[in-house]
């Protein structure tokens, strides 16, 4: 099945990163530190950037957080980290941006949730104030609607209208329309208040996979703003990875989406960078972008009773990812390399031949030898106790000999 062409959208410039238009789908993430803690927030931003996040969002919810933003930005600059930093505002953003102009200027983009910008008579003037401050500081804005914080006035208006219909729609359909209208009407107002179309990104995020797909399919036909994709509150572990991948893969296959985030709940003590790796691997396995050499490995079966090939595959994958910060700037095209680590003779030689470089390890009862293939040709057979170390060396030599220095 072919991938549909990307839906036409405006292109938004965020620092050095382009979103929309013909730019590649960008990966972004968000810190979970207390933004007022300058050191830990700057450190986590750098970790996310090193992992491959091209945009990083931070919470700006208190005066202490707003005061910290310029210092965080300066610390990043001192460390040579140029990743655009986005301010995430809810409830009091209009006050913080006005009171702390240095915070507004240090950020590369503002995120505004129409459902949390104010209630009743305060909603429009507070939204207008935030947009006008974005214009003053020449910052793009993501208007991010969330199902859990939907502007109830929009939903109430549609429900009242729906009750008057001869064949009223179900609540789910009305809710989807309310989410979309909240984004589109807010974008229209933002333009009235001075933002250009190429300064606006939209998102409409909920936690239900099928509903998210329906919303973005509809939204993409009704505007030309770049769209940020993400399944909000995706969850932990495999559930979060599977549900996010299921939703975003369908949309991207249809040409919908300009930037993505995988909103994983991290395991206690786990690195925040996991969500970046999942986003990259989703884009790479679907053929949209290449970020790091990928390891092809078999799942194992009764022919692979030893865990040797699993451990080698894990080591090689970690090694390749660790090398990428150096390789990315040194070897052009290395991110598209494929490495096969196979566990027995059934599919081992075939998959190894198809990869750039691959090794076919001996399965249960097979001869204790491991042929290595490079670009389809067997180049060496490894034996003995140092197969892993020798294969590491061969992978590194392959990179040095096959990818030109930049």
């Amino acid at each position: 099945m072919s991938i549909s062409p990307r839906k036409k959208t405006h292109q938004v410039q965020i620092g050095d990163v382009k979103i929309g238009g013909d730019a590649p789908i960008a990966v972004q993430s968000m810190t979970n530190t207390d933004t007022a803690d300058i050191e830990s927030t700057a450190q986590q931003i750098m970790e996310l950037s090193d992992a491959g996040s091209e945009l990083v969002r931070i919470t700006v919810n208190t005066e202490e957080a707003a005061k910290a933003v310029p210092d965080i930005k300066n610390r990043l600059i001192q460390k040579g980290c140029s990743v655009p930093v986005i301010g995430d505002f809810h409830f009091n953003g209009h006050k913080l941006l006005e009171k702390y102009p240095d915070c507004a200027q240090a950020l590369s983009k503002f995120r505004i949730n129409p459902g949390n910008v104010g209630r009743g008579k305060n909603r429009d003037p507070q939204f207008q104030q935030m947009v006008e401050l974005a214009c003053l500081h020449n910052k793009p804005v993501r208007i991010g609607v969330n199902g859990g914080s939907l502007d109830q006035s929009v939903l109430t208006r549609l429900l009242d209208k729906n009750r008057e219909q001869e064949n009223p729609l179900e609540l789910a359909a009305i809710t989807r329309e309310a989410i979309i209208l909240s984004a589109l009407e807010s974008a229209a107002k933002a333009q009235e208040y001075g933002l250009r179309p190429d300064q606006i990104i939209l998102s409409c995020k909920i936690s239900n996979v099928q509903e998210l797909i329906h919303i973005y399919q509809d939204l993409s036909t009704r505007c030309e703003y770049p769209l940020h994709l993400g399944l909000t509150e995706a969850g932990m572990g495999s559930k979060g990875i599977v549900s996010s991948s299921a939703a975003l893969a369908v949309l991207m296959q249809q040409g919908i989406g300009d930037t993505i985030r995988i909103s994983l709940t991290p395991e206690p003590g786990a690195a925040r960078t996991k969500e970046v790796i999942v986003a990259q691997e989703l884009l790479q396995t679907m053929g949209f972008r290449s970020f790091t050499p990928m390891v092809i490995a078999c799942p194992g079966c009764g022919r692979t009773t030893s865990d040797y090939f699993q451990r080698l595959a894990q080591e090689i994958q970690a090694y390749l990812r660790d090398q990428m910060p150096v390789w990315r700037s040194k070897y052009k095209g290395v991110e598209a390399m494929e490495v096969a680590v196979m566990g027995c003779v059934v599919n081992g030689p075939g998959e190894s031949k198809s990869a750039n470089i691959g090794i076919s390890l001996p399965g249960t009862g097979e001869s204790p030898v491991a042929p290595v293939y490079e670009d389809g040709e067997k180049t060496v057979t490894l034996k003995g106790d140092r197969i892993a170390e020798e294969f590491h060396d061969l992978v590194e030599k392959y990179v040095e000999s096959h990818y030109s220095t930049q």
Side-chain angles (χ1 to χ4, degrees), residues 294-310:
M294 299 292 284
V295 172
I296 300 165
C298 65
C301 66
R303 295 183 177 88
T304 56
T305 52
S306 166
D307 65 356
Y308 187 82
F309 88 93
Q310 294 103 316

Side-chain angles (χ1 to χ4, degrees), residues 284 289-294 324 327-328 331-338 403 406:
Q284 186 153 348
R289 297 184 64 183
S290 294
F291 295 94
T292 189
M294 299 292 284
M324 276 311 294
W327 285 357
R328 187 180 296 113
Y331 298 113
K332 185 177 180 180
V334 69
E335 64 275 4
M337 184 174 73
E338 290 186 349
Y403 296 94
Q406 299 186 30

Side-chain angles (χ1 to χ4, degrees), residues 207-403:
S207 57
N208 181 282
V209 170
Q210 294 294 347
E211 291 294 293
L212 187 86
I213 292 170
H214 286 308
I215 286 170
Y216 274 98
Q217 286 172 333
D218 193 352
L219 178 63
S220 69
T221 67
R222 295 164 66 174
C223 72
E224 293 186 356
Y225 302 112
L227 301 181
H228 167 68
L229 303 185
L231 186 79
T232 192
E233 292 97 35
M236 298 180 72
S238 60
K239 185 269 177 185
I241 294 171
V242 170
S243 56
S244 289
S245 299
L248 272 57
V250 169
L251 291 167
M252 292 190 295
Q253 186 78 13
Q254 296 174 359
I256 299 168
D258 301 283
T259 175
I260 66 171
R261 182 194 174 198
I262 306 295
S263 299
L264 294 181
T265 303
E267 303 286 346
R272 189 67 165 179
T273 52
K274 178 69 173 180
E275 66 177 47
V276 179
I277 294 170
V278 173
Q280 289 181 329
E281 290 181 349
L282 175 59
L283 289 171
Q284 186 153 348
T285 55
M286 291 191 69
F288 290 107
R289 297 184 64 183
S290 294
F291 295 94
T292 189
M294 299 292 284
V295 172
I296 300 165
C298 65
C301 66
R303 295 183 177 88
T304 56
T305 52
S306 166
D307 65 356
Y308 187 82
F309 88 93
Q310 294 103 316
R311 289 187 284 109
L312 179 57
Q314 187 177 47
E315 290 171 8
I316 290 294
Q317 183 71 78
Y319 166 74
L320 295 173
R321 187 166 287 281
D322 289 344
Q323 292 302 309
M324 276 311 294
V326 175
W327 285 357
R328 187 180 296 113
S329 60
K330 189 174 181 180
Y331 298 113
K332 185 177 180 180
V334 69
E335 64 275 4
M337 184 174 73
E338 290 186 349
V339 181
V341 179
M342 304 299 293
C344 77
V345 74
V346 173
N347 292 317
E351 290 288 357
S352 297
K353 290 177 182 177
S354 297
N356 295 101
I357 181 170
I359 186 170
S360 180
L361 294 164
T364 304
E366 295 177 17
S367 300
V369 296
V372 174
Y373 298 83
E374 296 183 17
D375 300 318
E377 300 293 331
K378 186 167 75 170
T379 57
V380 67
T381 298
L382 303 181
K383 303 177 184 178
D385 298 329
R386 298 191 67 258
I387 289 177
E389 294 88 341
E390 290 174 4
F391 187 63
H392 269 265
D393 293 341
L394 290 172
V395 170
E396 188 154 345
K397 289 177 181 177
Y398 183 93
V399 170
E400 292 173 352
S401 63
H402 285 73
Y403 296 94

Side-chain angles (χ1 to χ4, degrees), residues 102-164:
D102 289 348
C103 167
Q105 190 56 44
L107 294 168
S108 296
K109 187 181 75 170
F110 305 160
R111 186 280 178 121
I112 305 174
N113 183 341
N116 288 342
V117 78
R119 296 286 188 269
K121 65 180 182 179
N122 292 325
R123 181 192 181 282
D124 286 351
Q126 289 176 187
F127 179 78
Q128 180 175 356
Q129 183 178 354
M130 291 192 74
V131 171
E132 288 177 345
L133 286 165
C135 294
L136 175 65
H137 294 281
N138 194 29
K139 305 295 181 179
V141 168
R142 171 159 72 92
I143 296 173
V145 178
N146 272 43
S149 53
L150 174 62
D151 185 348
Q152 293 301 300
S153 66
V154 178
L155 181 59
T156 299
R157 169 166 42 105
L158 293 183
L159 288 172
D160 290 342
K161 185 178 179 181
N162 188 55
R163 278 191 286 268
E164 300 171 359

Side-chain angles (χ1 to χ4, degrees), residues 150 155 158-159 162 169-180 206 208 211 214-215:
L150 174 62
L155 181 59
L158 293 183
L159 288 172
N162 188 55
L169 299 173
E170 294 182 354
L171 177 60
I174 297 299
T175 303
R176 289 197 299 267
E177 179 64 12
I179 290 171
I180 293 170
I206 59 172
N208 181 282
E211 291 294 293
H214 286 308
I215 286 170

